[in-house]
Amino acid sequence: MRTIRHYAPPSPADLAELKGRAGRSSAELAAMAGVSDGRQWRKYTGPEAREMSAPSLFMLAAHLALSDAEMDRVIARMREIGASFDFEDAPR
């Protein structure tokens, strides 16, 4: 099992660059990171930026790195563990 230790979040510039490379809107990236909306995403990239938590970054990276089938496996496992939730596609 891998455990995240000594986490240092990406800088606001790193996250702004990711947005450009990914070609996604603030709302899409917010949904992928599990935060409320595009305004929340901009709080990570603005002049008085907040640090992105490791769980939010992990969720964002999973959405960007995994195929739809792999994400479906993760979602199914979450439900097997006992979670109950609605799941929707990120806004376009």
Side-chain angles (χ1 to χ4, degrees), residues 1-2 5 7 12 15 34 43 48 50-52 59 63 65 68 72-73 75 92:
M1 177 178 81
R2 296 180 187 169
R5 296 184 59 202
Y7 174 73
L15 294 172
K43 290 180 183 179
E48 296 180 29
R50 295 182 182 177
E51 293 183 346
M52 182 174 280
M59 188 167 169
H63 278 284
D68 287 344
D72 289 344
R73 286 182 54 217
I75 293 163
R92 299 248 175 225

Side-chain angles (χ1 to χ4, degrees), residues 36-80:
S36 59
D37 56 30
R39 287 181 306 225
Q40 181 66 33
W41 174 263
R42 288 185 290 278
K43 290 180 183 179
Y44 295 124
T45 59
E48 296 180 29
R50 295 182 182 177
E51 293 183 346
M52 182 174 280
S53 70
S56 289
L57 182 60
F58 188 89
M59 188 167 169
L60 172 62
H63 278 284
L64 293 171
L66 301 177
S67 69
D68 287 344
E70 291 166 324
M71 282 301 294
D72 289 344
R73 286 182 54 217
V74 172
I75 293 163
R77 179 59 60 103
M78 291 170 68
R79 289 186 171 126
E80 286 173 13

